[in-house]
Amino acid sequence: MSGRTVSAAWRRRRVMLWSAVGVVTLGFLLALEIAARRYGQPGPIGSQVKDLISAPKPGPLYGGLALMMVVLTWRQRFLAAGAAIGIDIVFLLVRWAAGARLADCHLFGGGALWVMLGCAVIAVTRRTGQERVLLLKGVGLGLLLVAGRKAGDTWLLITAKARPTVLDQYVATADHALGNPSWPAGRMLEATGPAGIHLVHLVYAQLAVAAVVVALYQLRNVAVERRFPRHHLVRTFLVIGLLGPAIYMIFPVVGPVFAYGPGASGTGGVQWAVADLWPNTPPPVNPPHPMPYDGITPRNCMPSLHTAWATAIFIHTRRGPRMLRYAGTFWLIATLSATLGFGYHYGADLVAGVVFALTIEAALRLSHHGWDLPGIQMVVYGALVFGALLVSYRYLPMEMAGHPWVFGPLLLLAMASVIYGYLRTTRQWEPKAASTPQPELQPEPV
């Protein structure tokens, strides 16, 4: 078989694969749309269409536009950014003239969506061959970031509506094996005062911005090379965001500040809590039970996706320049501090989040590296450890609380084993540096 025939067959398989991925993604978004409509809320598709006219939250849309522009030349980038800003100014003036009420920070953003859709039209009508494919990939990347955010919001709504009871008592009891770290972390964060609280909250809230910055660095050469790298942060981010909420449905947990405190962000309340204990009084060790909670607060703790995303950012900054590596390390530490210090997560959530992130990252890297045995073993092992963590939190919490000096190190050892397995496996996939041949010694002339 000639090389040309093999190349054509490979291209056909790739087209079929991406077509299947597109169909599955569209079906998933439609299912979320239908589920959200059942609860009287717009789903990801309806919300996206609404953003074409209404004043949306600008961050995700302009982040998506920035990712799309990696396929454009600098001149095209300035034109696209200028067009987006111009469209937003026109819409803002029209809303102001019509006396429309605008939400806080929702003054612009639709222009970025219009520009991305316009680039899709240009790709179909004005581009051909590889240039069309590259531009469509750029548009798809930008729209996927936005759609992923919308899908995540819909997932959170569904978890609150579909899971009226939560399993916080189980996780809080099991968390005694780790010393209930959210309680001392909450007191330490309070001791830092407003400055420390504001800094940590900013890091926690702007995790997606950090991800876009890292992704832009990874994709900086796309416009020159006319192709995307085989693996980058956006892929991991999206898969974590799409799969994680499915675990929320299996293991619904709201977090310490809700289950053992007054709640936050306008949801929860002491009337729903076991008792008002967080962060001053650790929860007692009692047999756990499922407990009812309000229908608004997302059940988004197990695993901690903020931990998983911050871990992914940390991994993908390891090959960057020194400042980017420092930033990735800082973002991981600050995110872990925020998740515990604000009472949003238990320590057990963070352990599961790290294992979850490394397993997904290994699977995605394996998919483009090639399905070798060590890689498959790593993914299977990570999935088994993650499943074992969930089972132990659910069915062994009293044993874990009763023997913390046994189960605490076991939890950390399980997480460490996945970290070690990931590092050992992925290092085998690194390209080996070509050794420079040394010149042979020549006999000296007589």
Side-chain angles (χ1 to χ4, degrees), residues 218-345:
Q218 292 182 320
L219 303 176
R220 66 194 182 280
N221 296 324
V222 170
V224 175
E225 298 176 354
R226 312 311 294 165
R227 63 180 180 84
F228 279 85
R230 300 184 68 179
H231 180 55
H232 50 82
L233 177 61
V234 179
R235 299 176 72 217
T236 307
F237 232 70
L238 290 173
V239 174
I240 288 174
L242 291 175
L243 294 182
I247 311 300
Y248 296 163
M249 299 291 288
I250 300 171
F251 209 115
V253 181
V254 291
V257 72
F258 297 98
Y260 294 90
S265 304
T267 64
V270 177
Q271 68 273 20
W272 293 100
V274 178
D276 191 3
L277 302 177
W278 188 89
N280 298 312
T281 306
V285 178
N286 293 320
H289 303 282
M291 55 182 282
Y293 210 79
D294 68 21
I296 303 174
T297 304
R299 281 59 167 152
N300 60 344
C301 279
M302 183 62 70
S304 169
L305 292 198
H306 264 78
T307 298
W309 283 321
T311 301
I313 290 175
F314 176 81
I315 292 171
H316 282 263
T317 55
R318 295 309 89 196
R319 293 186 179 181
R322 181 180 299 176
M323 286 304 298
L324 194 64
R325 297 198 302 272
Y326 287 166
T329 303
F330 166 76
W331 223 270
L332 175 61
I333 295 173
T335 299
L336 297 180
S337 301
T339 57
L340 293 175
F342 288 125
Y344 296 151
H345 288 280

Side-chain angles (χ1 to χ4, degrees), residues 76-208:
Q76 292 169 340
R77 290 170 186 172
F78 285 121
L79 290 174
I85 294 172
I87 292 171
D88 273 328
I89 291 174
V90 171
F91 273 106
L92 181 60
L93 292 175
V94 171
R95 295 186 191 107
W96 175 75
R101 184 176 179 274
L102 301 177
D104 293 339
C105 300
H106 289 205
L107 302 178
F108 59 94
L113 182 57
W114 278 105
V115 169
M116 284 189 280
L117 295 177
C119 287
V121 173
I122 292 174
V124 173
T125 60
R126 304 288 297 275
R127 298 288 188 269
T128 58
Q130 185 61 29
E131 289 299 312
R132 172 186 289 176
V133 172
L134 186 66
L135 184 52
L136 286 176
K137 283 184 177 181
V139 173
L141 184 66
L143 291 178
L144 269 178
L145 179 69
V146 180
R149 177 66 177 264
K150 299 289 185 181
D153 291 343
T154 304
W155 259 124
L156 296 183
L157 168 70
I158 294 173
T159 63
K161 301 296 184 182
R163 289 293 180 264
T165 60
V166 297
L167 302 178
D168 280 75
Q169 293 186 32
Y170 292 86
V171 183
T173 302
D175 212 38
H176 279 276
L178 298 173
N180 295 108
S182 180
W183 271 256
R187 296 194 296 272
M188 286 189 290
L189 185 58
E190 286 183 354
T192 63
I197 292 174
H198 179 73
L199 174 63
V200 172
H201 183 271
L202 182 65
V203 170
Y204 186 84
Q206 301 302 325
L207 186 67

Side-chain angles (χ1 to χ4, degrees), residues 52-95:
L52 290 170
I53 304 299
S54 65
K57 190 174 182 179
L61 289 169
Y62 272 89
L65 178 64
L67 288 179
M68 186 212 73
M69 290 194 299
V70 298
V71 305
L72 305 179
T73 64
W74 278 108
R75 177 177 177 275
Q76 292 169 340
R77 290 170 186 172
F78 285 121
L79 290 174
I85 294 172
I87 292 171
D88 273 328
I89 291 174
V90 171
F91 273 106
L92 181 60
L93 292 175
V94 171
R95 295 186 191 107

